[in-house]
Amino acid sequence: MRIGQLSLQLKLLLVIALATGGMLAVLILVAVTALTENTRRSLQEQLSVAQSMASQMDQLLAFSLKTVEVNGQRPSAEGETTPQAMRRSLQRVRQELPVYPWYIAFLDAEGKVVDSSPFLPELVGQDRSSLKEVGQALKQGVSSLSGLYPDVQGERAFYFVAPVYGPEGKVTGSLLAAVAPQKSNLMEFLPRLSLGATGYVDMVDSQGIILTSSRSERIYQHSDHGERLTDIIRTKGSTVGGCHRCHTPLGEGREREVLAFASFPRFPWGIAIRQDEGEVFAPVRRLERTLALLGALGLGIALTATWIGGRRVIEPLRRLTSASTGLARGDLETPVPVVGESEVRLLSEALERMRRELQASLAQTRRHEEQLVDLSRRRGKETAALVKASASLVAAQDETET
């Protein structure tokens, strides 16, 4: 069916629907732009929090390493290298370290444990020279932070390692502060975040192993995005975006999460903030649903109003069309209904005046016709009388002549 064949009401509905659809399209474009910006802002907020936490933890680790390093230099500066002086140094490190250590050990020039605080008999005599960080301290005089290593008592720990200098300024050993993540207070230094019911924070080392987490059951596990996070740590980068969380042990499939990850500025670790995607974008999703509902409601109201308004205009026009059709057939007796408002009402009043004027004109024409017929009849009678009288006179004249 062509548009020209549609009724006026349908045409009005089509025009209003197109106009409303155009306005809704503009509003949807604006809304989508706003939603995209809100999504970007939500992700950026997650990343900013991760970067802030990474910076704070990096400063904490740097301060802790500096504390061990300074205490490793004190025996030399004070001229005391006796076992008693080293014992005091070990105790001092335990007291000054902000990160709660599992133990502090003194290693000799060969990397063997000489003493520890608290004293752990199984440590004494252990050779730690194979640890890269111990080798760097003994051979290069470099302080460093290690990754996670297996330790005594079936525990795992990372180490702050610093060289110890003798009276002549030469390295005579090293201090090793062992921190067992499950026994430490690392999580206490992270800001308290409101991450909802699904959010949690992981601190990951360069091997993708979770050193500590707001979910204690995740400590020492390999992150399910370990390789990706390792690459980011290597480049000192950061990232934020959607990812899948795998539940292979339970076979529950994969769930969408938002992962914000930031590397430490100095140390090869990073902070990962993870939260269910639905929870992160819940405000955005609510806004999407609200806009969709308002758009559908607006379109429905516009079409309903157009339909009702169209009926108020079209119905009077239909009655006027019927009345004008009657006029065209010569029905001047049926009054034209005065209907509608404004222009439609004026039109109906004009048609009614026209009907009355046509009716009056037709009545006058009929009266003239009747008068003409009556006059014609009278003239016929008069003519017949004249003809009869003329015939009588002719007959009388003939008789007289004979």
Side-chain angles (χ1 to χ4, degrees):
M1 181 182 292
R2 297 179 180 179
I3 294 179
Q5 297 175 332
L6 297 176
S7 65
L8 180 58
Q9 186 171 11
L10 291 178
K11 289 179 181 178
L12 285 174
L13 282 174
L14 181 60
V15 170
I16 296 299
L18 291 175
T20 305
M23 290 187 293
L24 286 177
V26 173
L27 291 176
I28 289 173
L29 180 61
V30 173
V32 168
T33 303
L35 290 173
T36 302
E37 178 61 23
N38 284 337
T39 301
R40 187 197 65 79
R41 190 174 302 165
S42 297
L43 293 175
Q44 187 58 43
E45 287 176 357
Q46 293 283 90
L47 181 60
S48 297
V49 171
Q51 290 172 334
S52 175
M53 295 174 71
S55 178
Q56 292 183 36
M57 292 303 295
D58 186 79
Q59 293 176 15
L60 173 69
L61 295 177
F63 179 79
S64 300
L65 182 60
K66 188 66 176 179
T67 300
V68 176
E69 184 178 358
V70 168
N71 279 278
Q73 296 172 354
R74 278 181 177 174
S76 174
E78 296 172 357
E80 298 181 8
T81 58
T82 63
Q84 292 78 10
M86 293 309 304
R87 178 62 60 85
R88 288 195 299 270
S89 180
L90 295 178
Q91 293 174 350
R92 191 185 304 118
V93 176
R94 281 180 59 83
Q95 294 171 358
E96 295 179 358
L97 269 180
V99 179
Y100 182 75
W102 177 22
Y103 63 83
I104 311 294
F106 171 66
L107 282 63
D108 62 16
E110 295 179 356
K112 294 181 179 180
V113 178
V114 176
D115 197 1
S116 67
S117 176
F119 181 72
L120 299 176
E122 58 267 45
L123 283 177
V124 178
Q126 271 198 0
D127 188 355
R128 298 293 180 91
S129 61
S130 61
L131 300 181
K132 180 181 70 173
E133 293 76 17
V134 173
Q136 289 175 343
L138 295 176
K139 297 176 183 179
Q140 304 172 25
V142 176
S143 302
S144 59
L145 172 67
S146 78
L148 198 64
Y149 288 104
D151 210 318
V152 297
Q153 300 178 1
E155 191 57 78
R156 297 184 187 182
F158 62 85
Y159 309 121
F160 295 100
V161 184
V164 174
Y165 293 90
E168 298 179 358
K170 295 183 178 181
V171 176
T172 59
S174 64
L175 278 179
L176 183 148
V179 178
Q182 287 187 329
K183 297 180 179 181
S184 74
N185 58 343
L186 281 173
M187 287 304 300
E188 295 179 6
F189 294 96
L190 295 177
R192 299 297 180 184
L193 300 178
S194 177
L195 295 177
T198 64
Y200 56 96
V201 180
D202 292 338
M203 188 163 70
V204 183
D205 71 1
S206 60
Q207 303 302 314
I209 298 174
I210 300 171
L211 298 173
T212 189
S213 174
S214 56
R215 292 183 176 180
S216 58
E217 69 274 9
R218 292 179 58 81
I219 297 177
Y220 301 151
Q221 292 184 9
H222 279 271
S223 174
D224 48 357
H225 297 282
E227 292 184 4
R228 178 185 175 194
L229 301 184
T230 297
D231 292 338
I232 297 172
I233 290 173
R234 187 180 302 114
T235 59
K236 299 294 182 183
S238 59
T239 186
V240 64
C243 67
H244 285 96
R245 178 178 58 184
C246 300
H247 297 274
T248 50
L250 299 179
E252 296 177 7
R254 297 156 68 86
E255 295 181 5
R256 291 288 299 177
E257 282 188 330
V258 170
L259 168 65
F261 184 82
S263 302
F264 288 12
R266 282 167 285 197
F267 300 103
W269 294 359
I271 288 289
I273 300 177
R274 303 177 67 163
Q275 191 173 4
D276 182 77
E277 191 177 77
E279 191 170 38
V280 174
F281 297 132
V284 178
R285 299 290 183 263
R286 285 196 296 269
L287 182 58
E288 286 179 345
R289 290 193 294 270
T290 300
L291 290 175
L293 179 61
L294 290 177
L297 184 61
L299 181 60
I301 291 175
L303 292 178
T304 302
T306 303
W307 179 265
I308 295 174
R311 286 183 62 85
R312 295 186 64 181
V313 174
I314 300 302
E315 187 60 30
L317 289 178
R318 285 177 177 170
R319 295 180 65 183
L320 292 179
T321 300
S322 176
S324 63
T325 301
L327 291 177
R329 291 198 303 265
D331 181 10
L332 299 179
E333 299 300 325
T334 305
V336 176
V338 179
V339 293
E341 299 175 357
S342 62
E343 288 82 358
V344 177
R345 187 178 185 87
L346 292 175
L347 176 62
S348 64
E349 291 175 348
L351 286 175
E352 173 60 13
R353 284 196 303 272
M354 183 183 71
R355 184 194 67 81
R356 290 198 300 267
E357 290 173 0
L358 285 173
Q359 188 180 37
S361 177
L362 183 60
Q364 185 177 7
T365 300
R366 286 175 178 173
R367 285 195 300 272
H368 287 167
E369 289 179 353
E370 291 175 356
Q371 290 174 358
L372 287 174
V373 170
D374 183 61
L375 180 61
S376 177
R377 287 174 180 174
R378 289 201 304 270
R379 291 290 186 269
K381 289 179 179 179
E382 291 176 356
T383 300
L386 288 174
V387 170
K388 186 177 180 181
S390 177
S392 298
L393 288 174
V394 170
Q397 185 178 3
D398 291 339
E399 289 178 0
T400 303
E401 290 178 356
T402 54

PDB file of all heavy atoms in Angstrom, residues 61-87:
ATOM      1  N   LEU A  61      57.329  -1.407  50.986  1.00  0.00           N
ATOM      2  CA  LEU A  61      58.403  -2.381  50.770  1.00  0.00           C
ATOM      3  C   LEU A  61      59.761  -1.685  50.707  1.00  0.00           C
ATOM      4  O   LEU A  61      60.766  -2.204  51.231  1.00  0.00           O
ATOM      5  CB  LEU A  61      58.149  -3.157  49.481  1.00  0.00           C
ATOM      6  CG  LEU A  61      56.894  -4.043  49.466  1.00  0.00           C
ATOM      7  CD1 LEU A  61      56.724  -4.698  48.100  1.00  0.00           C
ATOM      8  CD2 LEU A  61      56.945  -5.102  50.557  1.00  0.00           C
ATOM      9  N   ALA A  62      59.806  -0.510  50.061  1.00  0.00           N
ATOM     10  CA  ALA A  62      61.070   0.225  49.975  1.00  0.00           C
ATOM     11  C   ALA A  62      61.542   0.655  51.362  1.00  0.00           C
ATOM     12  O   ALA A  62      62.738   0.559  51.687  1.00  0.00           O
ATOM     13  CB  ALA A  62      60.902   1.446  49.065  1.00  0.00           C
ATOM     14  N   PHE A  63      60.608   1.103  52.185  1.00  0.00           N
ATOM     15  CA  PHE A  63      60.975   1.500  53.548  1.00  0.00           C
ATOM     16  C   PHE A  63      61.447   0.291  54.356  1.00  0.00           C
ATOM     17  O   PHE A  63      62.423   0.370  55.119  1.00  0.00           O
ATOM     18  CB  PHE A  63      59.774   2.153  54.235  1.00  0.00           C
ATOM     19  CG  PHE A  63      60.040   2.575  55.648  1.00  0.00           C
ATOM     20  CD1 PHE A  63      60.734   3.743  55.934  1.00  0.00           C
ATOM     21  CD2 PHE A  63      59.609   1.793  56.722  1.00  0.00           C
ATOM     22  CE1 PHE A  63      60.995   4.130  57.239  1.00  0.00           C
ATOM     23  CE2 PHE A  63      59.866   2.167  58.027  1.00  0.00           C
ATOM     24  CZ  PHE A  63      60.556   3.339  58.282  1.00  0.00           C
ATOM     25  N   SER A  64      60.773  -0.828  54.183  1.00  0.00           N
ATOM     26  CA  SER A  64      61.171  -2.041  54.905  1.00  0.00           C
ATOM     27  C   SER A  64      62.560  -2.500  54.483  1.00  0.00           C
ATOM     28  O   SER A  64      63.395  -2.878  55.320  1.00  0.00           O
ATOM     29  CB  SER A  64      60.145  -3.157  54.649  1.00  0.00           C
ATOM     30  OG  SER A  64      58.860  -2.772  55.101  1.00  0.00           O
ATOM     31  N   LEU A  65      62.824  -2.467  53.167  1.00  0.00           N
ATOM     32  CA  LEU A  65      64.150  -2.863  52.688  1.00  0.00           C
ATOM     33  C   LEU A  65      65.214  -1.905  53.199  1.00  0.00           C
ATOM     34  O   LEU A  65      66.318  -2.342  53.592  1.00  0.00           O
ATOM     35  CB  LEU A  65      64.150  -2.891  51.157  1.00  0.00           C
ATOM     36  CG  LEU A  65      65.451  -3.345  50.484  1.00  0.00           C
ATOM     37  CD1 LEU A  65      65.804  -4.770  50.909  1.00  0.00           C
ATOM     38  CD2 LEU A  65      65.323  -3.258  48.962  1.00  0.00           C
ATOM     39  N   LYS A  66      64.894  -0.612  53.226  1.00  0.00           N
ATOM     40  CA  LYS A  66      65.854   0.363  53.736  1.00  0.00           C
ATOM     41  C   LYS A  66      66.129   0.130  55.215  1.00  0.00           C
ATOM     42  O   LYS A  66      67.282   0.287  55.683  1.00  0.00           O
ATOM     43  CB  LYS A  66      65.297   1.775  53.517  1.00  0.00           C
ATOM     44  CG  LYS A  66      66.303   2.881  53.832  1.00  0.00           C
ATOM     45  CD  LYS A  66      67.467   2.841  52.861  1.00  0.00           C
ATOM     46  CE  LYS A  66      68.430   3.989  53.107  1.00  0.00           C
ATOM     47  NZ  LYS A  66      69.587   3.956  52.181  1.00  0.00           N
ATOM     48  N   THR A  67      65.106  -0.266  55.954  1.00  0.00           N
ATOM     49  CA  THR A  67      65.286  -0.556  57.381  1.00  0.00           C
ATOM     50  C   THR A  67      66.270  -1.706  57.579  1.00  0.00           C
ATOM     51  O   THR A  67      67.171  -1.641  58.426  1.00  0.00           O
ATOM     52  CB  THR A  67      63.929  -0.905  58.018  1.00  0.00           C
ATOM     53  OG1 THR A  67      63.035   0.193  57.864  1.00  0.00           O
ATOM     54  CG2 THR A  67      64.084  -1.229  59.500  1.00  0.00           C
ATOM     55  N   VAL A  68      66.122  -2.768  56.795  1.00  0.00           N
ATOM     56  CA  VAL A  68      67.051  -3.903  56.885  1.00  0.00           C
ATOM     57  C   VAL A  68      68.452  -3.462  56.468  1.00  0.00           C
ATOM     58  O   VAL A  68      69.465  -3.825  57.103  1.00  0.00           O
ATOM     59  CB  VAL A  68      66.557  -5.064  56.002  1.00  0.00           C
ATOM     60  CG1 VAL A  68      67.563  -6.216  56.019  1.00  0.00           C
ATOM     61  CG2 VAL A  68      65.191  -5.545  56.476  1.00  0.00           C
ATOM     62  N   GLU A  69      68.540  -2.648  55.413  1.00  0.00           N
ATOM     63  CA  GLU A  69      69.842  -2.194  54.920  1.00  0.00           C
ATOM     64  C   GLU A  69      70.566  -1.344  55.959  1.00  0.00           C
ATOM     65  O   GLU A  69      71.766  -1.532  56.193  1.00  0.00           O
ATOM     66  CB  GLU A  69      69.636  -1.400  53.629  1.00  0.00           C
ATOM     67  CG  GLU A  69      70.919  -0.952  52.976  1.00  0.00           C
ATOM     68  CD  GLU A  69      70.652  -0.213  51.671  1.00  0.00           C
ATOM     69  OE1 GLU A  69      69.476  -0.100  51.277  1.00  0.00           O
ATOM     70  OE2 GLU A  69      71.616   0.261  51.054  1.00  0.00           O
ATOM     71  N   VAL A  70      69.851  -0.423  56.588  1.00  0.00           N
ATOM     72  CA  VAL A  70      70.465   0.444  57.596  1.00  0.00           C
ATOM     73  C   VAL A  70      70.962  -0.374  58.782  1.00  0.00           C
ATOM     74  O   VAL A  70      72.067  -0.148  59.301  1.00  0.00           O
ATOM     75  CB  VAL A  70      69.464   1.519  58.050  1.00  0.00           C
ATOM     76  CG1 VAL A  70      69.962   2.241  59.295  1.00  0.00           C
ATOM     77  CG2 VAL A  70      69.214   2.520  56.923  1.00  0.00           C
ATOM     78  N   ASN A  71      70.172  -1.350  59.190  1.00  0.00           N
ATOM     79  CA  ASN A  71      70.596  -2.177  60.324  1.00  0.00           C
ATOM     80  C   ASN A  71      71.769  -3.077  59.951  1.00  0.00           C
ATOM     81  O   ASN A  71      72.564  -3.462  60.821  1.00  0.00           O
ATOM     82  CB  ASN A  71      69.422  -3.026  60.814  1.00  0.00           C
ATOM     83  CG  ASN A  71      68.486  -2.250  61.717  1.00  0.00           C
ATOM     84  OD1 ASN A  71      68.731  -2.094  62.911  1.00  0.00           O
ATOM     85  ND2 ASN A  71      67.412  -1.719  61.135  1.00  0.00           N
ATOM     86  N   GLY A  72      71.914  -3.434  58.674  1.00  0.00           N
ATOM     87  CA  GLY A  72      73.065  -4.211  58.249  1.00  0.00           C
ATOM     88  C   GLY A  72      74.348  -3.407  58.303  1.00  0.00           C
ATOM     89  O   GLY A  72      75.445  -3.970  58.406  1.00  0.00           O
ATOM     90  N   GLN A  73      74.255  -2.085  58.240  1.00  0.00           N
ATOM     91  CA  GLN A  73      75.430  -1.222  58.279  1.00  0.00           C
ATOM     92  C   GLN A  73      75.791  -0.781  59.698  1.00  0.00           C
ATOM     93  O   GLN A  73      76.901  -0.302  59.930  1.00  0.00           O
ATOM     94  CB  GLN A  73      75.177   0.018  57.411  1.00  0.00           C
ATOM     95  CG  GLN A  73      74.997  -0.300  55.943  1.00  0.00           C
ATOM     96  CD  GLN A  73      74.547   0.905  55.141  1.00  0.00           C
ATOM     97  OE1 GLN A  73      74.254   1.964  55.703  1.00  0.00           O
ATOM     98  NE2 GLN A  73      74.503   0.747  53.830  1.00  0.00           N
ATOM     99  N   ARG A  74      74.902  -0.942  60.649  1.00  0.00           N
ATOM    100  CA  ARG A  74      75.145  -0.437  61.995  1.00  0.00           C
ATOM    101  C   ARG A  74      76.314  -1.115  62.702  1.00  0.00           C
ATOM    102  O   ARG A  74      77.100  -0.419  63.356  1.00  0.00           O
ATOM    103  CB  ARG A  74      73.869  -0.582  62.838  1.00  0.00           C
ATOM    104  CG  ARG A  74      72.883   0.535  62.598  1.00  0.00           C
ATOM    105  CD  ARG A  74      71.648   0.403  63.456  1.00  0.00           C
ATOM    106  NE  ARG A  74      70.750   1.529  63.239  1.00  0.00           N
ATOM    107  CZ  ARG A  74      69.535   1.628  63.773  1.00  0.00           C
ATOM    108  NH1 ARG A  74      69.085   0.632  64.535  1.00  0.00           N
ATOM    109  NH2 ARG A  74      68.801   2.687  63.550  1.00  0.00           N
ATOM    110  N   PRO A  75      76.466  -2.432  62.644  1.00  0.00           N
ATOM    111  CA  PRO A  75      77.609  -3.025  63.341  1.00  0.00           C
ATOM    112  C   PRO A  75      78.926  -2.413  62.901  1.00  0.00           C
ATOM    113  O   PRO A  75      79.800  -2.139  63.712  1.00  0.00           O
ATOM    114  CB  PRO A  75      77.519  -4.509  62.971  1.00  0.00           C
ATOM    115  CG  PRO A  75      76.079  -4.731  62.680  1.00  0.00           C
ATOM    116  CD  PRO A  75      75.618  -3.459  62.037  1.00  0.00           C
ATOM    117  N   SER A  76      79.075  -2.156  61.589  1.00  0.00           N
ATOM    118  CA  SER A  76      80.305  -1.568  61.090  1.00  0.00           C
ATOM    119  C   SER A  76      80.450  -0.138  61.570  1.00  0.00           C
ATOM    120  O   SER A  76      81.514   0.285  62.016  1.00  0.00           O
ATOM    121  CB  SER A  76      80.342  -1.615  59.567  1.00  0.00           C
ATOM    122  OG  SER A  76      81.445  -0.927  59.059  1.00  0.00           O
ATOM    123  N   ALA A  77      79.339   0.609  61.512  1.00  0.00           N
ATOM    124  CA  ALA A  77      79.411   2.010  61.931  1.00  0.00           C
ATOM    125  C   ALA A  77      79.689   2.134  63.413  1.00  0.00           C
ATOM    126  O   ALA A  77      80.356   3.062  63.865  1.00  0.00           O
ATOM    127  CB  ALA A  77      78.109   2.710  61.575  1.00  0.00           C
ATOM    128  N   GLU A  78      79.180   1.204  64.205  1.00  0.00           N
ATOM    129  CA  GLU A  78      79.359   1.255  65.650  1.00  0.00           C
ATOM    130  C   GLU A  78      80.617   0.518  66.092  1.00  0.00           C
ATOM    131  O   GLU A  78      80.960   0.528  67.278  1.00  0.00           O
ATOM    132  CB  GLU A  78      78.136   0.630  66.341  1.00  0.00           C
ATOM    133  CG  GLU A  78      76.849   1.406  66.080  1.00  0.00           C
ATOM    134  CD  GLU A  78      75.634   0.669  66.604  1.00  0.00           C
ATOM    135  OE1 GLU A  78      75.811  -0.465  67.122  1.00  0.00           O
ATOM    136  OE2 GLU A  78      74.523   1.202  66.478  1.00  0.00           O
ATOM    137  N   GLY A  79      81.287  -0.123  65.160  1.00  0.00           N
ATOM    138  CA  GLY A  79      82.495  -0.861  65.492  1.00  0.00           C
ATOM    139  C   GLY A  79      82.234  -2.125  66.264  1.00  0.00           C
ATOM    140  O   GLY A  79      83.121  -2.628  66.961  1.00  0.00           O
ATOM    141  N   GLU A  80      81.046  -2.671  66.164  1.00  0.00           N
ATOM    142  CA  GLU A  80      80.691  -3.882  66.899  1.00  0.00           C
ATOM    143  C   GLU A  80      80.308  -4.969  65.905  1.00  0.00           C
ATOM    144  O   GLU A  80      79.365  -4.810  65.132  1.00  0.00           O
ATOM    145  CB  GLU A  80      79.526  -3.629  67.848  1.00  0.00           C
ATOM    146  CG  GLU A  80      79.829  -2.591  68.922  1.00  0.00           C
ATOM    147  CD  GLU A  80      78.647  -2.398  69.866  1.00  0.00           C
ATOM    148  OE1 GLU A  80      77.672  -3.180  69.762  1.00  0.00           O
ATOM    149  OE2 GLU A  80      78.686  -1.481  70.688  1.00  0.00           O
ATOM    150  N   THR A  81      81.032  -6.038  65.900  1.00  0.00           N
ATOM    151  CA  THR A  81      80.714  -7.178  65.027  1.00  0.00           C
ATOM    152  C   THR A  81      80.600  -8.457  65.837  1.00  0.00           C
ATOM    153  O   THR A  81      80.666  -9.550  65.286  1.00  0.00           O
ATOM    154  CB  THR A  81      81.813  -7.340  63.960  1.00  0.00           C
ATOM    155  OG1 THR A  81      83.079  -7.525  64.610  1.00  0.00           O
ATOM    156  CG2 THR A  81      81.870  -6.120  63.044  1.00  0.00           C
ATOM    157  N   THR A  82      80.415  -8.315  67.137  1.00  0.00           N
ATOM    158  CA  THR A  82      80.303  -9.485  67.998  1.00  0.00           C
ATOM    159  C   THR A  82      78.944 -10.130  67.824  1.00  0.00           C
ATOM    160  O   THR A  82      77.996  -9.493  67.340  1.00  0.00           O
ATOM    161  CB  THR A  82      80.482  -9.077  69.466  1.00  0.00           C
ATOM    162  OG1 THR A  82      79.423  -8.184  69.820  1.00  0.00           O
ATOM    163  CG2 THR A  82      81.822  -8.378  69.678  1.00  0.00           C
ATOM    164  N   PRO A  83      78.810 -11.407  68.224  1.00  0.00           N
ATOM    165  CA  PRO A  83      77.495 -12.068  68.147  1.00  0.00           C
ATOM    166  C   PRO A  83      76.422 -11.309  68.914  1.00  0.00           C
ATOM    167  O   PRO A  83      75.260 -11.272  68.497  1.00  0.00           O
ATOM    168  CB  PRO A  83      77.775 -13.447  68.747  1.00  0.00           C
ATOM    169  CG  PRO A  83      79.215 -13.682  68.480  1.00  0.00           C
ATOM    170  CD  PRO A  83      79.882 -12.344  68.627  1.00  0.00           C
ATOM    171  N   GLN A  84      76.836 -10.690  70.060  1.00  0.00           N
ATOM    172  CA  GLN A  84      75.861  -9.937  70.838  1.00  0.00           C
ATOM    173  C   GLN A  84      75.339  -8.725  70.034  1.00  0.00           C
ATOM    174  O   GLN A  84      74.142  -8.403  70.064  1.00  0.00           O
ATOM    175  CB  GLN A  84      76.473  -9.463  72.167  1.00  0.00           C
ATOM    176  CG  GLN A  84      76.782 -10.565  73.157  1.00  0.00           C
ATOM    177  CD  GLN A  84      78.064 -11.315  72.790  1.00  0.00           C
ATOM    178  OE1 GLN A  84      78.825 -10.896  71.905  1.00  0.00           O
ATOM    179  NE2 GLN A  84      78.292 -12.455  73.476  1.00  0.00           N
ATOM    180  N   ALA A  85      76.288  -8.071  69.339  1.00  0.00           N
ATOM    181  CA  ALA A  85      75.874  -6.921  68.529  1.00  0.00           C
ATOM    182  C   ALA A  85      74.948  -7.362  67.400  1.00  0.00           C
ATOM    183  O   ALA A  85      73.955  -6.693  67.093  1.00  0.00           O
ATOM    184  CB  ALA A  85      77.107  -6.217  67.962  1.00  0.00           C
ATOM    185  N   MET A  86      75.242  -8.486  66.779  1.00  0.00           N
ATOM    186  CA  MET A  86      74.388  -8.976  65.708  1.00  0.00           C
ATOM    187  C   MET A  86      73.028  -9.390  66.241  1.00  0.00           C
ATOM    188  O   MET A  86      72.009  -9.162  65.582  1.00  0.00           O
ATOM    189  CB  MET A  86      75.060 -10.164  65.010  1.00  0.00           C
ATOM    190  CG  MET A  86      76.328  -9.797  64.237  1.00  0.00           C
ATOM    191  SD  MET A  86      76.101  -8.401  63.108  1.00  0.00           S
ATOM    192  CE  MET A  86      74.757  -8.951  62.111  1.00  0.00           C
ATOM    193  N   ARG A  87      72.993  -9.965  67.455  1.00  0.00           N
ATOM    194  CA  ARG A  87      71.706 -10.341  68.047  1.00  0.00           C
ATOM    195  C   ARG A  87      70.852  -9.094  68.289  1.00  0.00           C
ATOM    196  O   ARG A  87      69.648  -9.084  68.024  1.00  0.00           O
ATOM    197  CB  ARG A  87      71.947 -11.101  69.349  1.00  0.00           C
ATOM    198  CG  ARG A  87      70.683 -11.519  70.099  1.00  0.00           C
ATOM    199  CD  ARG A  87      69.838 -12.481  69.261  1.00  0.00           C
ATOM    200  NE  ARG A  87      70.560 -13.689  68.929  1.00  0.00           N
ATOM    201  CZ  ARG A  87      70.640 -14.757  69.747  1.00  0.00           C
ATOM    202  NH1 ARG A  87      70.051 -14.750  70.912  1.00  0.00           N
ATOM    203  NH2 ARG A  87      71.300 -15.823  69.353  1.00  0.00           N
TER     204      ARG A  87
END
